mmCIF file of all heavy atoms in Angstrom:
data_model
loop_
_atom_site.group_PDB
_atom_site.id
_atom_site.type_symbol
_atom_site.label_atom_id
_atom_site.label_comp_id
_atom_site.label_asym_id
_atom_site.label_seq_id
_atom_site.Cartn_x
_atom_site.Cartn_y
_atom_site.Cartn_z
ATOM 1 N N LYS A 1 67.435 32.228 56.114
ATOM 2 C CA LYS A 1 66.732 32.560 54.858
ATOM 3 C C LYS A 1 65.809 33.746 55.080
ATOM 4 O O LYS A 1 65.733 34.650 54.239
ATOM 5 C CB LYS A 1 65.931 31.359 54.403
ATOM 6 C CG LYS A 1 65.304 31.544 53.038
ATOM 7 C CD LYS A 1 64.616 30.269 52.576
ATOM 8 C CE LYS A 1 63.944 30.479 51.228
ATOM 9 N NZ LYS A 1 63.258 29.259 50.740
ATOM 10 N N ALA A 2 65.098 33.781 56.187
ATOM 11 C CA ALA A 2 64.139 34.857 56.465
ATOM 12 C C ALA A 2 64.873 36.168 56.677
ATOM 13 O O ALA A 2 64.508 37.194 56.105
ATOM 14 C CB ALA A 2 63.309 34.516 57.692
ATOM 15 N N PHE A 3 65.900 36.117 57.491
ATOM 16 C CA PHE A 3 66.621 37.353 57.739
ATOM 17 C C PHE A 3 67.472 37.831 56.562
ATOM 18 O O PHE A 3 67.720 39.016 56.384
ATOM 19 C CB PHE A 3 67.520 37.230 58.999
ATOM 20 C CG PHE A 3 67.845 38.528 59.652
ATOM 21 C CD1 PHE A 3 66.867 39.224 60.370
ATOM 22 C CD2 PHE A 3 69.129 39.111 59.548
ATOM 23 C CE1 PHE A 3 67.170 40.441 60.983
ATOM 24 C CE2 PHE A 3 69.380 40.318 60.150
ATOM 25 C CZ PHE A 3 68.419 40.981 60.864
ATOM 26 N N GLY A 4 67.850 36.856 55.709
ATOM 27 C CA GLY A 4 68.599 37.184 54.486
ATOM 28 C C GLY A 4 67.830 38.097 53.561
ATOM 29 O O GLY A 4 68.414 38.896 52.809
ATOM 30 N N THR A 5 66.500 37.990 53.598
ATOM 31 C CA THR A 5 65.678 38.873 52.744
ATOM 32 C C THR A 5 65.702 40.331 53.207
ATOM 33 O O THR A 5 65.250 41.205 52.472
ATOM 34 C CB THR A 5 64.207 38.382 52.709
ATOM 35 O OG1 THR A 5 63.645 38.483 54.016
ATOM 36 C CG2 THR A 5 64.118 36.923 52.229
ATOM 37 N N CYS A 6 66.227 40.549 54.409
ATOM 38 C CA CYS A 6 66.241 41.924 54.974
ATOM 39 C C CYS A 6 67.609 42.598 54.802
ATOM 40 O O CYS A 6 67.729 43.785 55.063
ATOM 41 C CB CYS A 6 65.899 41.908 56.445
ATOM 42 S SG CYS A 6 64.284 41.206 56.821
ATOM 43 N N VAL A 7 68.620 41.834 54.402
ATOM 44 C CA VAL A 7 70.003 42.334 54.378
ATOM 45 C C VAL A 7 70.150 43.534 53.476
ATOM 46 O O VAL A 7 70.746 44.572 53.844
ATOM 47 C CB VAL A 7 70.965 41.245 53.957
ATOM 48 C CG1 VAL A 7 72.366 41.808 53.730
ATOM 49 C CG2 VAL A 7 71.049 40.148 55.019
ATOM 50 N N SER A 8 69.524 43.484 52.281
ATOM 51 C CA SER A 8 69.658 44.600 51.336
ATOM 52 C C SER A 8 69.022 45.847 51.927
ATOM 53 O O SER A 8 69.553 46.979 51.794
ATOM 54 C CB SER A 8 68.961 44.236 50.002
ATOM 55 O OG SER A 8 69.601 43.135 49.425
ATOM 56 N N HIS A 9 67.837 45.698 52.543
ATOM 57 C CA HIS A 9 67.140 46.856 53.086
ATOM 58 C C HIS A 9 67.961 47.442 54.250
ATOM 59 O O HIS A 9 68.024 48.680 54.392
ATOM 60 C CB HIS A 9 65.756 46.454 53.570
ATOM 61 C CG HIS A 9 64.988 47.589 54.151
ATOM 62 N ND1 HIS A 9 64.561 47.610 55.473
ATOM 63 C CD2 HIS A 9 64.578 48.769 53.611
ATOM 64 C CE1 HIS A 9 63.926 48.748 55.733
ATOM 65 N NE2 HIS A 9 63.918 49.471 54.618
ATOM 66 N N ILE A 10 68.538 46.576 55.115
ATOM 67 C CA ILE A 10 69.362 47.094 56.200
ATOM 68 C C ILE A 10 70.565 47.877 55.640
ATOM 69 O O ILE A 10 70.941 48.928 56.163
ATOM 70 C CB ILE A 10 69.824 45.929 57.082
ATOM 71 C CG1 ILE A 10 68.625 45.305 57.801
ATOM 72 C CG2 ILE A 10 70.876 46.380 58.096
ATOM 73 C CD1 ILE A 10 68.938 44.014 58.577
ATOM 74 N N GLY A 11 71.130 47.354 54.554
ATOM 75 C CA GLY A 11 72.239 48.079 53.909
ATOM 76 C C GLY A 11 71.834 49.433 53.405
ATOM 77 O O GLY A 11 72.559 50.410 53.567
ATOM 78 N N ALA A 12 70.630 49.504 52.832
ATOM 79 C CA ALA A 12 70.101 50.800 52.339
ATOM 80 C C ALA A 12 69.880 51.776 53.494
ATOM 81 O O ALA A 12 70.157 52.974 53.373
ATOM 82 C CB ALA A 12 68.821 50.599 51.546
ATOM 83 N N ILE A 13 69.344 51.248 54.603
ATOM 84 C CA ILE A 13 69.126 52.105 55.771
ATOM 85 C C ILE A 13 70.419 52.641 56.314
ATOM 86 O O ILE A 13 70.551 53.855 56.597
ATOM 87 C CB ILE A 13 68.386 51.305 56.895
ATOM 88 C CG1 ILE A 13 66.955 50.989 56.455
ATOM 89 C CG2 ILE A 13 68.391 52.067 58.204
ATOM 90 C CD1 ILE A 13 66.250 50.009 57.373
ATOM 91 N N LEU A 14 71.443 51.774 56.439
ATOM 92 C CA LEU A 14 72.732 52.208 56.952
ATOM 93 C C LEU A 14 73.381 53.215 56.008
ATOM 94 O O LEU A 14 73.987 54.193 56.488
ATOM 95 C CB LEU A 14 73.648 50.975 57.149
ATOM 96 C CG LEU A 14 73.256 50.018 58.239
ATOM 97 C CD1 LEU A 14 74.201 48.813 58.267
ATOM 98 C CD2 LEU A 14 73.318 50.708 59.614
ATOM 99 N N SER A 15 73.269 52.969 54.698
ATOM 100 C CA SER A 15 73.907 53.917 53.735
ATOM 101 C C SER A 15 73.219 55.281 53.790
ATOM 102 O O SER A 15 73.862 56.286 53.451
ATOM 103 C CB SER A 15 73.842 53.338 52.326
ATOM 104 O OG SER A 15 72.524 53.388 51.780
ATOM 105 N N THR A 16 71.946 55.317 54.136
ATOM 106 C CA THR A 16 71.222 56.586 54.161
ATOM 107 C C THR A 16 71.371 57.320 55.490
ATOM 108 O O THR A 16 71.681 58.540 55.535
ATOM 109 C CB THR A 16 69.718 56.349 53.907
ATOM 110 O OG1 THR A 16 69.571 55.733 52.619
ATOM 111 C CG2 THR A 16 68.949 57.649 53.925
ATOM 112 N N TYR A 17 71.198 56.617 56.602
ATOM 113 C CA TYR A 17 71.194 57.266 57.886
ATOM 114 C C TYR A 17 72.565 57.443 58.542
ATOM 115 O O TYR A 17 72.733 58.388 59.344
ATOM 116 C CB TYR A 17 70.270 56.511 58.831
ATOM 117 C CG TYR A 17 68.807 56.686 58.544
ATOM 118 C CD1 TYR A 17 68.003 55.632 58.088
ATOM 119 C CD2 TYR A 17 68.206 57.918 58.690
ATOM 120 C CE1 TYR A 17 66.658 55.787 57.807
ATOM 121 C CE2 TYR A 17 66.832 58.105 58.381
ATOM 122 C CZ TYR A 17 66.123 57.013 57.951
ATOM 123 O OH TYR A 17 64.767 57.195 57.673
ATOM 124 N N THR A 18 73.524 56.617 58.197
ATOM 125 C CA THR A 18 74.879 56.775 58.741
ATOM 126 C C THR A 18 75.494 58.147 58.411
ATOM 127 O O THR A 18 75.998 58.837 59.351
ATOM 128 C CB THR A 18 75.798 55.634 58.295
ATOM 129 O OG1 THR A 18 75.259 54.384 58.718
ATOM 130 C CG2 THR A 18 77.182 55.809 58.973
ATOM 131 N N PRO A 19 75.467 58.571 57.143
ATOM 132 C CA PRO A 19 76.018 59.906 56.858
ATOM 133 C C PRO A 19 75.255 61.006 57.597
ATOM 134 O O PRO A 19 75.859 62.033 57.965
ATOM 135 C CB PRO A 19 75.864 60.059 55.338
ATOM 136 C CG PRO A 19 75.793 58.664 54.837
ATOM 137 C CD PRO A 19 75.101 57.859 55.890
ATOM 138 N N VAL A 20 73.929 60.851 57.797
ATOM 139 C CA VAL A 20 73.129 61.871 58.505
ATOM 140 C C VAL A 20 73.626 61.971 59.953
ATOM 141 O O VAL A 20 73.795 63.063 60.495
ATOM 142 C CB VAL A 20 71.643 61.474 58.485
ATOM 143 C CG1 VAL A 20 70.858 62.441 59.375
ATOM 144 C CG2 VAL A 20 71.096 61.484 57.077
ATOM 145 N N VAL A 21 73.828 60.814 60.590
ATOM 146 C CA VAL A 21 74.296 60.822 61.971
ATOM 147 C C VAL A 21 75.682 61.393 62.076
ATOM 148 O O VAL A 21 75.967 62.217 62.986
ATOM 149 C CB VAL A 21 74.246 59.360 62.538
ATOM 150 C CG1 VAL A 21 74.889 59.297 63.901
ATOM 151 C CG2 VAL A 21 72.827 58.845 62.603
ATOM 152 N N ILE A 22 76.592 61.009 61.152
ATOM 153 C CA ILE A 22 77.964 61.520 61.175
ATOM 154 C C ILE A 22 77.940 63.042 61.036
ATOM 155 O O ILE A 22 78.628 63.767 61.765
ATOM 156 C CB ILE A 22 78.792 60.846 60.086
ATOM 157 C CG1 ILE A 22 79.017 59.377 60.404
ATOM 158 C CG2 ILE A 22 80.157 61.581 59.945
ATOM 159 C CD1 ILE A 22 79.690 58.605 59.273
ATOM 160 N N SER A 23 77.177 63.550 60.051
ATOM 161 C CA SER A 23 77.075 64.961 59.811
ATOM 162 C C SER A 23 76.537 65.713 61.034
ATOM 163 O O SER A 23 77.027 66.768 61.426
ATOM 164 C CB SER A 23 76.218 65.269 58.587
ATOM 165 O OG SER A 23 76.137 66.604 58.317
ATOM 166 N N SER A 24 75.499 65.128 61.652
ATOM 167 C CA SER A 24 74.885 65.731 62.844
ATOM 168 C C SER A 24 75.890 65.813 63.986
ATOM 169 O O SER A 24 76.012 66.829 64.671
ATOM 170 C CB SER A 24 73.642 64.943 63.240
ATOM 171 O OG SER A 24 73.054 65.463 64.391
ATOM 172 N N VAL A 25 76.625 64.710 64.196
ATOM 173 C CA VAL A 25 77.624 64.676 65.286
ATOM 174 C C VAL A 25 78.737 65.733 65.001
ATOM 175 O O VAL A 25 79.164 66.453 65.922
ATOM 176 C CB VAL A 25 78.205 63.273 65.406
ATOM 177 C CG1 VAL A 25 79.416 63.287 66.364
ATOM 178 C CG2 VAL A 25 77.150 62.304 65.933
ATOM 179 N N MET A 26 79.173 65.775 63.739
ATOM 180 C CA MET A 26 80.242 66.724 63.390
ATOM 181 C C MET A 26 79.813 68.166 63.655
ATOM 182 O O MET A 26 80.612 68.990 64.073
ATOM 183 C CB MET A 26 80.629 66.537 61.934
ATOM 184 C CG MET A 26 81.488 65.339 61.627
ATOM 185 S SD MET A 26 83.086 65.416 62.415
ATOM 186 C CE MET A 26 83.823 66.766 61.457
ATOM 187 N N HIS A 27 78.550 68.466 63.352
ATOM 188 C CA HIS A 27 78.053 69.829 63.550
ATOM 189 C C HIS A 27 78.088 70.226 65.039
ATOM 190 O O HIS A 27 78.160 71.411 65.383
ATOM 191 C CB HIS A 27 76.654 69.985 62.996
ATOM 192 C CG HIS A 27 76.603 70.364 61.561
ATOM 193 N ND1 HIS A 27 76.958 71.606 61.087
ATOM 194 C CD2 HIS A 27 76.263 69.640 60.468
ATOM 195 C CE1 HIS A 27 76.842 71.672 59.758
ATOM 196 N NE2 HIS A 27 76.426 70.461 59.370
ATOM 197 N N ARG A 28 78.000 69.234 65.910
ATOM 198 C CA ARG A 28 77.944 69.498 67.341
ATOM 199 C C ARG A 28 79.312 69.427 68.024
ATOM 200 O O ARG A 28 79.584 70.211 68.897
ATOM 201 C CB ARG A 28 76.931 68.552 68.002
ATOM 202 C CG ARG A 28 75.472 68.982 67.733
ATOM 203 C CD ARG A 28 74.510 67.849 67.850
ATOM 204 N NE ARG A 28 73.166 68.328 67.544
ATOM 205 C CZ ARG A 28 72.690 68.572 66.337
ATOM 206 N NH1 ARG A 28 73.500 68.394 65.294
ATOM 207 N NH2 ARG A 28 71.481 68.992 66.138
ATOM 208 N N VAL A 29 80.130 68.457 67.650
ATOM 209 C CA VAL A 29 81.406 68.265 68.339
ATOM 210 C C VAL A 29 82.550 68.929 67.632
ATOM 211 O O VAL A 29 83.643 69.089 68.170
ATOM 212 C CB VAL A 29 81.719 66.754 68.515
ATOM 213 C CG1 VAL A 29 80.608 66.050 69.254
ATOM 214 C CG2 VAL A 29 81.991 66.091 67.175
ATOM 215 N N ALA A 30 82.344 69.311 66.358
ATOM 216 C CA ALA A 30 83.410 69.982 65.594
ATOM 217 C C ALA A 30 82.917 71.269 64.945
ATOM 218 O O ALA A 30 83.069 71.472 63.767
ATOM 219 C CB ALA A 30 83.978 69.023 64.553
ATOM 220 N N ARG A 31 82.291 72.122 65.761
ATOM 221 C CA ARG A 31 81.743 73.361 65.238
ATOM 222 C C ARG A 31 82.812 74.294 64.663
ATOM 223 O O ARG A 31 82.558 75.098 63.800
ATOM 224 C CB ARG A 31 80.958 74.107 66.356
ATOM 225 C CG ARG A 31 79.701 73.391 66.741
ATOM 226 C CD ARG A 31 78.943 74.202 67.780
ATOM 227 N NE ARG A 31 77.688 73.541 68.172
ATOM 228 C CZ ARG A 31 76.832 74.021 69.077
ATOM 229 N NH1 ARG A 31 77.093 75.179 69.642
ATOM 230 N NH2 ARG A 31 75.694 73.346 69.363
#
């Protein structure tokens, strides 16, 4: 129950930072 209150926020973090990380990696490994 306690951790369930964080699931939405974790989803928002992943949806925001995952594309940033992918884009950053692509700029370095696929120049």
Side-chain angles (χ1 to χ4, degrees):
K1 186 176 179 180
F3 204 72
T5 63
C6 301
V7 171
S8 299
H9 181 243
I10 292 172
I13 291 170
L14 291 175
S15 73
T16 300
Y17 286 113
T18 302
V20 174
V21 173
I22 292 173
S23 180
S24 178
V25 170
M26 284 294 293
H27 272 289
R28 283 156 181 77
V29 303
R31 291 183 179 180

